[in-house]
């Protein structure tokens, strides 16, 4: 992590005195000066050396040692004091301190202050500011604060040390650089995947550069909602022992046997129970019960059951064929082949899968990978419809005068419940069988990849994640019903990433344990705060559960949650954040530009004065003491919102992470080709930190005050293991250096420090 601000120094109240005034040029905002004799070196009260610590809306600056002497350039402020105060030692010291403070303000900060001053002037022209006259006027109006110790205590809390744990960065490569890594599987070349289940890429001549940008990182998309499954530690061996082969065939037999039983139950449900219940509707001559009976039967036996029976029947047929085709060879392998020969044949690319895998596991894995995607439609439809099954059974049971109720008693309600829940229980049972098979296989086994992918497919089906926009619309609709005063214009783009319980600390931020309770809702493009009124209001965890429930049961309305009210919404692309040293609190700064009040003139800027909203939050619940974790999720959310899904799902985009260390923030780097930006709607908002690798040498995207880029860097290879880095910042500062590729992490840390300084502007 990097230090964003050093924090308020520990000032001894018996040494420094507190002085305050209002600046009439800047909307009468207060200016504080903590003044006293310098305690550095051999300073004494009589040698005209002082210490001063100045705080205003422009920030805090500390001067441990200042000299009050006519030969000092800062002494010019004394000449602008009233004549009766020029002989006052304290007044002279305050004037010198304020002029030193003005000299330390950055140009962007001075421009913002001039905007504030221009607001109240009829001609919208800012007055002369930050000169010796301005310092003298403020010093002459300062008064001493009696409760200086209390003021120091409150400022120490409000200006506590701030850290930055994570920074997002765009790394741009030349066109046609990124290629998918391929591996040999039999006679075919197939895409390669790492041990973490993520796809592997090649970056041409820049391989060594990109590989030094940390580890590949997973970021969800509509097609892939969670990180791919991967082998566990006990899968590292390449040995396939006899007992493991026996266990594999046993799991296959269990899959076949349970599938036969399952299909038989489905046949009973679809071809026997459902027709009997529907026939009872036509036999019921009481018209007043006909509609109720038909609705109940339609809910008990949705059309998706027919699709499930058809899919599983065909799957069972092919499963039996595969089992029969591999049985003889598997038995011979278990009884006849030695373990050493099996180990030598395991994974041999030049042989067929039968010789590499006489157990038949690969054939089963390929069959599962072929059929499980076909289960998605009917099973997800049935799971959604199953939310109304309890009500349908209750309606049929309570309607004692109808033939449907009589049929339910005849068939047996408990028996019907047991059969109706079978399709919902079947998918998790598939997953358990896959886990048992995966636990027996070495990581290098040819069937491992297919089994892991099959497990992920099952997880997506069970989670009802189909990648459509309907789930996102349901999320927004659910939140509107749960949260009072949700704006009609607010419809966050993308998924609800997380929800966080927190306490919003009020200015001056001294009581960090008290304040209104809020919930943070994190989306890829927006961070929303929700106020909690009362002890019975929903928690963040409950909101996540309610949103998930709306996806599982979209036909059920969300209940009206008491005590939740919309607070505010922040655009993630312009949100700046920092954390306290103990990772308990997070500070959010949101600045939105608006029309400038300034008229163009010498020494003025036409930048728009931003509306700034600052929130200090104490995190609770699962994020208590883990502000760095939320910071990482917000940074990843920015990247998810910045890039469209087509580019993130393409083979021309990757994500890597450099972990944070003491004194250096972590980096989440989005890596893509320059050509991909023009071909696909890739970037919605530019990143504040951009690194171009290769290409032109002129830093074509140098940051400016009107651009959204704070730091621009250019990396060019100068040898087999060397590179040259050129960096430019928003204020025109920058540097160049040549380093070894192995030092790229250190160089990024330096760029991170530059980015941190831009965060302070």
């Amino acid at each position: 992590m990097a230090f964003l601000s050093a924090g308020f120094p520990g000032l001894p109240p018996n040494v420094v005195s507190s002085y305050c005034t209002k600046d009439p040029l800047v909307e009468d905002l207060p200016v504080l000066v903590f003044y006293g004799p310098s305690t550095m070196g051999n300073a004494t009260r009589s040698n005209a050396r002082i210490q001063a610590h100045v705080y205003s809306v422009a920030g805090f600056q500390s001067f441990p040692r200042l000299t009050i002497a006519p030969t000092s350039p800062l002494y010019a402020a004394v000449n602008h004091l009233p004549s009766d105060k020029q002989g006052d030692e304290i007044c002279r010291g305050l004037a010198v301190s304020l002029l030193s403070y003005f000299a330390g303000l950055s140009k962007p900060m001075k421009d913002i202050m001039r905007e504030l001053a221009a607001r109240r002037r009829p001609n919208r022209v800012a007055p002369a500011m930050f000169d010796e006259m301005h310092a003298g006027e403020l010093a002459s109006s300062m008064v001493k604060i009696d409760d200086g110790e209390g003021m120091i205590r409150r400022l120490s809390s409000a200006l506590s040390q701030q850290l930055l744990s994570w920074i997002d960065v765009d790394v741009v490569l030349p066109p046609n650089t990124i290629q998918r890594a391929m591996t040999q599987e039999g006679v075919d070349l197939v895409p390669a995947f790492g041990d973490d289940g993520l796809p592997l890429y090649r970056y041409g001549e820049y391989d060594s550069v990109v590989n030094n940008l940390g580890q590949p990182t997973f970021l969800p998309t509509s097609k892939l909602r969670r990180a791919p499954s991967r082998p566990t530690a006990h899968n590292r061996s390449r040995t396939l022992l006899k007992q493991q082969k026996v266990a594999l065939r046993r799991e296959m037999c269990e899959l076949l046997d349970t599938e036969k039983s399952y299909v038989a139950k489905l046949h009973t449900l679809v071809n026997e129970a459902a027709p009997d219940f529907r026939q009872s509707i036509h036999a019921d001559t009481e018209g007043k019960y006909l509609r109720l009976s038909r609705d109940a039967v339609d809910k008990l036996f949705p059309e998706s059951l027919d699709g499930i029976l058809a899919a599983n029947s065909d799957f069972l047929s092919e499963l039996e064929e595969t089992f029969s085709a591999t049985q003889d060879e598997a038995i011979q392998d278990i009884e006849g082949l030695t373990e050493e020969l099996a180990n030598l044949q395991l994974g041999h690319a030049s042989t067929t899968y039968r010789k590499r895998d006489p157990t038949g596991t690969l054939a089963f894995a390929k069959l599962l990978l072929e059929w499980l995607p076909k289960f998605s439609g009917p099973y997800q439809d049935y799971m959604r419809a199953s939310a109304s099954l309890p009500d349908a059974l209750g309606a049929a049971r309570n309607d004692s005068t109808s033939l449907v109720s009589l049929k339910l008693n005849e068939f047996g309600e408990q028996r019907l419940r047991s059969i109706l829940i079978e399709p919902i229980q079947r998918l998790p049972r598939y997953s358990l069988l896959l886990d048992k098979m995966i636990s027996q296989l070495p990581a290098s086994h040819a069937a491992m990849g297919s089994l892991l992918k099959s497990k992920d497919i099952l997880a997506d089906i069970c989670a009802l994640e189909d990648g459509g926009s309907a789930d996102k619309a349901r999320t927004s609709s659910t939140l509107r019903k749960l949260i009072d005063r949700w704006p009609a214009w607010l419809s966050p783009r993308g998924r609800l990433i997380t929800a966080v319980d927190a306490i919003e600390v009020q200015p001056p931020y001294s009581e960090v344990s008290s304040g209104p309770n809020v919930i943070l809702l994190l989306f890829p493009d927006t961070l929303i705060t929700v106020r909690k009124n009362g002890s019975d209001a929903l928690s963040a965890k409950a909101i996540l559960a309610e949103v998930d429930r709306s996806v599982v049961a979209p036909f059920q309305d969300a209940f009206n949650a008491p005590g939740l009210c919309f607070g505010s919404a922040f655009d993630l692309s312009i949100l700046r954040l920092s954390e306290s040293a103990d990772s308990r609190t997070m500070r959010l700064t949101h600045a939105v530009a608006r029309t400038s009040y300034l008229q163009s003139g010498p020494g003025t800027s036409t930048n728009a004065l931003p509306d700034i909203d600052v929130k200090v939050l104490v995190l609770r619940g699962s994020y208590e003491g883990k502000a760095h974790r939320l910071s990482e999720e917000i940074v990843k959310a920015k990247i998810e919102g910045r890039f469209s899904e087509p580019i993130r799902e393409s083979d021309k985009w990757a994500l890597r992470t450099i972990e944070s260390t003491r004194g250096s923030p972590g980096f989440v780097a989005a890596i893509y080709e320059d050509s991909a930006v023009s071909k696909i709607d890739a970037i919605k908002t530019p990143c504040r930190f951009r690194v171009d690798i290769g290409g032109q040498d002129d830093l074509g995207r140098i940051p400016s005050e009107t651009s959204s880029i704070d730091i621009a860097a250019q990396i060019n290879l100068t040898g087999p293991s060397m590179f040259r880095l050129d960096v430019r910042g928003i204020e025109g500062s920058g540097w160049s250096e040549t380093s070894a590729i192995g030092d790229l992490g250190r160089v990024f840390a330096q760029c991170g420090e530059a980015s941190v300084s831009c965060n302070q502007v």
Side-chain angles (χ1 to χ4, degrees):
M1 58 186 67
F3 293 98
L4 193 61
S5 64
F8 196 78
L11 302 179
N14 60 332
V15 176
V16 297
S17 300
S18 305
Y19 295 86
C20 178
T21 189
K22 294 181 179 180
D23 192 344
L25 298 182
V26 191
E27 298 187 350
D28 288 330
L29 293 174
V31 179
L32 296 173
V33 179
F34 300 91
Y35 171 88
S38 176
T39 57
M40 295 184 62
N42 60 353
T44 66
R45 289 182 179 270
S46 60
N47 64 6
R49 289 177 179 172
I50 65 167
Q51 62 172 309
H53 313 274
V54 186
Y55 179 59
S56 76
V57 69
F60 176 79
Q61 293 184 49
S62 184
F63 308 99
R65 184 174 179 175
L66 286 174
T67 300
I68 311 299
T71 56
S72 171
L74 300 174
Y75 199 81
V78 176
N79 298 326
H80 291 274
L81 289 171
S83 57
D84 59 327
K85 292 188 176 183
Q86 290 186 5
D88 188 311
E89 179 183 352
I90 294 178
C91 206
R92 291 201 305 268
L94 292 174
V96 170
S97 302
L98 288 168
L99 187 57
S100 180
Y101 177 77
F102 290 157
L105 295 179
S106 65
K107 182 179 181 300
M109 180 57 70
K110 288 181 178 179
D111 289 341
I112 291 175
M113 298 292 286
R114 290 189 178 98
E115 283 278 358
L116 288 172
R119 282 181 174 181
R120 293 187 176 183
R121 299 178 71 87
N123 57 1
R124 303 301 190 202
V125 175
M129 299 174 65
F130 313 119
D131 53 12
E132 54 268 23
M133 183 180 296
H134 190 187
E137 290 175 352
L138 290 179
S140 64
S141 62
M142 283 203 158
V143 295
K144 187 176 181 179
I145 300 175
D146 294 333
D147 186 18
E149 183 176 357
M151 181 63 68
I152 292 175
R153 185 175 60 253
R154 287 187 287 272
L155 281 180
S156 296
S157 177
L159 302 180
S160 60
Q161 187 182 63
Q162 294 294 302
L163 309 175
L164 190 63
S165 293
W166 291 94
I167 297 175
D168 57 315
V169 54
D170 284 354
V171 178
V172 186
L173 292 165
N176 304 317
T177 300
I178 304 177
Q179 303 292 334
R180 276 297 303 271
M182 308 298 288
T183 186
Q184 190 83 25
E185 185 174 303
V187 296
D188 300 324
L189 279 176
V190 297
F193 293 85
D195 291 340
D196 52 8
L198 298 177
L200 296 178
Y201 294 93
R202 296 287 180 261
Y203 303 94
E205 62 178 313
Y206 305 110
D207 246 345
S208 57
V209 176
V210 176
N211 288 335
N212 274 278
L213 296 179
Q215 298 299 317
T217 303
F218 173 75
L219 193 65
T221 66
S222 292
K223 294 181 180 178
L224 191 61
R225 294 295 186 90
R226 58 184 56 81
S229 300
R230 52 182 171 179
T232 55
H234 61 264
N235 297 112
R236 300 305 181 189
S237 171
R238 291 181 58 86
T239 302
L240 188 61
L241 302 177
K242 180 177 180 178
Q243 58 265 32
Q244 291 174 307
K245 299 176 185 178
V246 173
L248 286 169
R249 290 303 296 186
R250 183 173 60 246
E251 300 305 333
M252 296 178 206
C253 290
E254 182 179 351
L255 175 61
L256 179 60
D257 292 341
T258 56
E259 191 68 19
K260 289 179 180 178
S261 174
Y262 174 59
V263 171
K265 292 179 181 179
L266 288 177
H267 178 80
T268 300
L269 189 64
V270 174
N271 296 327
E272 296 179 16
D276 285 349
F277 274 78
R278 291 191 174 97
Q279 184 65 32
S280 67
I281 297 177
H282 300 293
D284 194 343
T285 57
E286 294 291 336
K288 62 180 179 179
Y289 299 112
L290 185 59
R291 181 180 298 278
L292 176 61
S293 299
R294 180 179 292 113
D295 290 342
V297 172
D298 288 342
K299 290 179 179 179
L300 286 174
F301 306 101
E303 294 181 0
S304 51
L305 273 176
D306 297 319
I308 291 176
L309 176 60
N312 280 87
S313 297
D314 293 341
F315 172 63
L316 175 60
S317 177
E318 294 202 19
L319 189 62
E320 290 175 327
E321 292 180 6
T322 301
F323 187 85
S324 299
T326 58
Q327 184 173 12
D328 292 341
E329 189 174 2
I331 294 175
Q332 293 174 6
D333 175 58
I334 293 173
E335 295 179 348
L337 286 179
T338 64
E339 293 177 2
E340 290 77 15
L341 181 57
N343 294 337
L344 289 174
Q345 290 175 337
L346 180 63
H348 196 277
S350 62
T351 59
T352 65
Y353 78 82
R354 285 288 180 84
K355 290 184 179 181
R356 287 189 290 117
D357 179 41
T359 64
T361 308
L362 180 60
F364 270 77
K366 290 186 174 181
L367 181 66
L368 288 169
L369 192 59
E370 175 188 355
W371 274 94
L372 288 181
K374 300 177 182 179
F375 291 174
S376 177
Y379 273 91
Q380 287 190 336
D381 289 343
Y382 185 77
M383 283 189 287
R384 292 188 177 100
S386 66
S388 60
L389 287 180
D391 293 338
L393 282 170
R397 181 179 60 251
N398 296 332
D399 184 17
S400 58
T401 59
S402 70
L403 292 179
V404 174
S405 178
L406 296 176
K407 179 60 65 176
L408 179 62
N409 293 329
E410 177 185 333
F411 190 86
E413 181 180 346
Q414 189 58 42
R415 179 191 176 196
L416 183 60
R417 284 180 180 272
S418 177
I419 299 178
L420 287 173
I421 204 174
E422 280 285 336
I424 297 176
Q425 295 176 336
R426 186 58 182 166
L427 295 180
R429 288 171 180 167
Y430 285 143
S431 186
L432 290 174
L433 284 169
L434 287 178
D435 284 337
K436 293 179 181 179
M437 296 180 70
I438 290 170
S439 67
Q440 301 295 333
L441 290 176
S444 59
H445 196 282
M448 181 64 77
S450 297
L451 291 176
L452 292 174
K453 291 177 184 177
S454 298
K455 185 179 175 183
D456 290 335
I457 293 171
L458 287 170
D460 286 339
I461 296 175
C462 291
L464 294 177
E465 293 173 347
D466 54 13
S469 59
D471 287 351
K472 300 173 184 177
R474 281 194 292 270
T475 297
S476 295
S477 177
T478 299
L479 292 175
R480 284 191 178 92
K481 295 173 182 176
L482 290 174
I483 300 169
D484 190 25
R485 299 181 184 177
W486 185 280
W489 54 265
L490 181 59
S491 183
R493 178 168 45 84
R495 63 194 179 99
L496 175 58
I497 297 173
T498 190
V500 184
D501 288 308
I503 296 175
E504 184 177 346
V505 185
Q506 301 301 302
Y509 313 118
S510 56
E511 299 295 332
V512 296
S513 60
S514 63
N517 291 305
V518 297
I519 296 176
L520 305 179
L521 303 178
L522 178 61
F523 291 87
D525 63 335
T526 310
L527 181 67
I528 297 172
T529 64
V530 178
R531 295 194 301 271
K532 297 171 66 175
N533 302 319
S535 58
D536 57 346
L538 288 182
S539 65
K541 184 177 180 180
I543 288 182
L544 288 174
E546 187 64 21
V547 169
D548 290 341
R549 190 183 72 87
S550 71
V551 176
V552 173
F555 306 113
Q556 290 188 356
D557 289 338
F559 65 89
N560 294 323
L564 294 181
C565 183
F566 175 81
S568 55
F570 300 124
D571 182 353
L572 278 191
S573 65
I574 55 177
L575 182 69
R576 310 231 180 186
L577 57 148
S578 61
E579 313 141 31
S580 61
D582 59 4
S583 202
R584 291 182 60 243
T585 65
M586 175 169 283
R587 188 183 299 256
L588 306 176
T589 304
H590 190 254
V592 180
R594 63 183 180 186
T595 304
S596 174
Y597 287 96
L598 281 176
Q599 291 184 356
S600 299
T604 64
S605 169
T606 58
N607 284 345
L609 175 66
D611 284 325
I612 299 177
D613 190 1
V614 178
K615 291 188 181 296
V616 177
L617 304 163
V618 179
L619 305 185
R620 296 299 192 196
S622 61
Y623 287 87
E624 185 170 356
K626 299 178 182 178
H628 61 281
R629 173 184 159 198
L630 180 58
S631 175
E632 181 182 6
E633 293 194 15
I634 291 176
V635 164
K636 289 181 178 179
K638 287 183 177 182
I639 294 177
E640 186 175 341
R642 189 159 67 243
F643 292 90
S644 64
E645 285 204 344
I647 186 64
R648 288 193 285 120
E649 292 172 348
S650 73
D651 290 337
K652 299 296 183 181
W653 192 90
L655 193 70
R656 300 181 79 94
T657 298
I658 302 176
E659 294 293 336
S660 62
T661 59
R662 183 172 180 82
S664 174
F667 294 91
V668 183
I671 303 169
Y672 61 95
E673 291 182 356
D674 204 10
S675 59
V677 177
S678 58
K679 292 181 179 179
I680 305 176
D681 177 23
I683 298 182
K684 296 177 173 62
T685 54
C687 182
R688 295 184 176 276
F689 182 13
R690 174 177 171 127
V691 178
D692 286 85
I693 299 180
Q696 302 297 323
D697 298 329
D698 59 352
L699 277 180
R701 296 173 179 84
I702 296 178
S704 68
E705 295 177 12
T706 58
S707 71
S708 298
I709 300 176
D710 291 341
I711 298 292
Q714 179 81 39
I715 292 178
N716 286 290
L717 297 178
T718 59
S721 59
M722 303 293 292
F723 70 92
R724 175 182 173 83
L725 174 74
D726 297 284
V727 181
R728 296 293 179 270
I730 191 172
E731 294 182 307
S733 60
W735 75 90
S736 300
E737 67 172 277
T738 300
S739 303
I741 290 178
D743 293 335
L744 193 60
R746 174 187 60 80
V747 171
F748 257 65
Q750 291 179 343
C751 294
E753 292 175 3
S755 180
V756 165
S757 66
C758 290
N759 262 282
Q760 295 174 299
V761 174

